[in-house]
């Protein structure tokens, strides 16, 4: 049973560029959330997707956008990259429609901005 | 606003001893809490969860205690092993959609 998978594992970009990160949820999960984890900090919620729509958003600018596909996989897009966007980007999935289900995380994409 | 925090950023424990990691939360409306373990280069790994209608839950070598009166959560690890060395996060589910994490406690197991 495959867990949450993310690609790529590492990425290097320069300021002003755009990036797309990808996530496949755990089998049986239909809800995908994205988190940003700066070095030495806990993950910070970016947004969550369910039924191909953004259901809730954290305190992140519009440069951060996402998408969910019919097969429940998801993409995170970041435009006009800033040095401060360097972080580990984590995807988490869970079963929607049921309360209090744990989110399961992938191993993340390490994004470095030069 | 809601916040989740851990009392100590680091914990050093002798192999074989029990570990206790503490966490305080501020949102009294939170109804679901999760402990995660994060090893270097990996994503957070689910350890155990607890709902607000419980005050204790046990797993394999781990116990989570919830004290809603003082808004405090703890994770106890029995007979700590070298493989338990990691960063531990408590997370709060204040609503159905997102988790709020603290900064984490780094646990180092001494041989």
């Amino acid at each position: 049973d495959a867990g949450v998978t993310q690609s790529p594992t590492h990425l290097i970009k320069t300021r002003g560029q755009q990036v797309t990160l990808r996530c496949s949820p755990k089998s049986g999960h239909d809800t995908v959330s994205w988190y940003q984890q700066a070095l030495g900090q806990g993950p910070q919620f970016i947004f969550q997707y369910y039924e191909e729509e953004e259901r809730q958003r954290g305190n992140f600018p519009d440069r951060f956008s996402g998408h969910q596909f019919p097969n429940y996989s998801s993409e995170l897009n970041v435009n006009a990259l800033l040095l401060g966007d360097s972080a580990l980007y984590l995807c988490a999935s869970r079963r929607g429609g049921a309360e209090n289900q744990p989110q399961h995380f992938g191993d993340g994409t390490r994004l470095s901005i030069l | 606003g809601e916040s989740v925090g851990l009392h100590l950023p680091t914990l050093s424990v002798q192999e074989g001893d029990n570990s206790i990691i503490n966490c305080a939360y501020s949102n009294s409306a939170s109804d679901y809490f999760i402990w995660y373990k994060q090893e270097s280069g990996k994503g957070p790994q689910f350890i155990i969860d607890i709902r607000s209608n419980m005050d204790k839950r046990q797993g394999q070598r781990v116990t989570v205690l919830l004290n809603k009166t003082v808004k405090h959560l703890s994770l106890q690890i029995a007979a700590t092993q070298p493989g338990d060395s990691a960063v531990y996060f408590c997370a709060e589910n204040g609503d159905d959609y997102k988790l709020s994490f603290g900064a984490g406690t780094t646990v180092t197991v001494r041989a």
Side-chain angles (χ1 to χ4, degrees):
Chain A
D1 179 20
V4 178
T5 58
Q6 294 186 242
S7 64
T9 55
H10 294 84
L11 202 53
I12 300 174
K13 291 286 189 178
T14 57
R15 283 179 297 173
Q17 285 189 311
Q18 178 265 344
V19 68
T20 297
L21 310 181
R22 295 176 174 84
C23 171
S24 292
K26 184 178 168 69
S27 178
H29 289 185
D30 57 4
T31 302
V32 173
S33 299
W34 287 92
Y35 293 79
Q36 180 193 68
Q37 187 177 23
L39 201 61
Q41 302 294 319
Q44 297 294 312
F45 176 77
I46 302 175
F47 40 53
Q48 185 178 91
Y49 278 84
Y50 175 66
E51 293 187 340
E52 302 180 49
E53 291 190 356
E54 183 182 295
R55 185 157 69 170
Q56 189 176 17
R57 188 180 186 91
N59 188 25
F60 280 81
D62 291 344
R63 298 187 298 108
F64 290 76
S65 63
H67 189 78
Q68 185 179 34
F69 300 93
N71 66 352
Y72 309 122
S73 67
S74 178
E75 289 181 349
L76 165 65
N77 301 293
V78 187
N79 295 323
L81 287 165
L82 304 173
L83 292 177
D85 295 331
S86 294
L88 180 68
Y89 288 85
L90 295 162
C91 173
S93 71
R94 62 182 281 266
R95 280 194 193 88
E99 291 188 3
N100 298 334
Q101 289 292 316
Q103 294 187 27
H104 294 264
F105 285 81
D107 286 336
T109 294
R110 172 71 62 187
L111 177 63
S112 299
I113 311 301
L114 303 179
Chain B
E2 62 185 44
S3 66
V4 178
L6 295 170
H7 290 313
L8 294 174
T10 62
L11 177 66
S12 179
V13 61
Q14 186 70 36
E15 182 179 357
D17 288 352
N18 297 333
S19 303
I20 299 176
I21 306 167
N22 295 303
C23 177
Y25 65 96
S26 61
N27 186 356
S28 57
S30 294
D31 60 359
Y32 181 55
F33 304 87
I34 308 173
W35 280 99
Y36 287 95
K37 171 187 180 184
Q38 188 172 25
E39 296 174 281
S40 180
K42 301 281 190 179
Q45 176 187 359
F46 171 80
I47 301 174
I48 192 168
D49 57 1
I50 188 167
R51 292 167 176 71
S52 59
N53 61 353
M54 305 170 68
D55 53 20
K56 180 179 180 179
R57 191 170 188 213
Q58 289 184 292
Q60 186 176 10
R61 280 201 308 119
V62 294
T63 301
V64 55
L65 300 177
L66 175 62
N67 185 330
K68 294 181 288 295
T69 302
V70 295
K71 291 185 283 188
H72 181 268
L73 196 68
S74 68
L75 177 71
Q76 301 177 5
I77 305 174
T80 309
Q81 303 170 358
D84 295 327
S85 293
V87 181
Y88 289 80
F89 294 97
C90 64
E92 169 187 13
N93 204 153
D95 58 44
D96 190 43
Y97 301 147
K98 70 175 187 180
L99 294 175
S100 297
F101 287 80
T105 292
T106 300
V107 173
T108 302
V109 180
R110 306 188 307 270

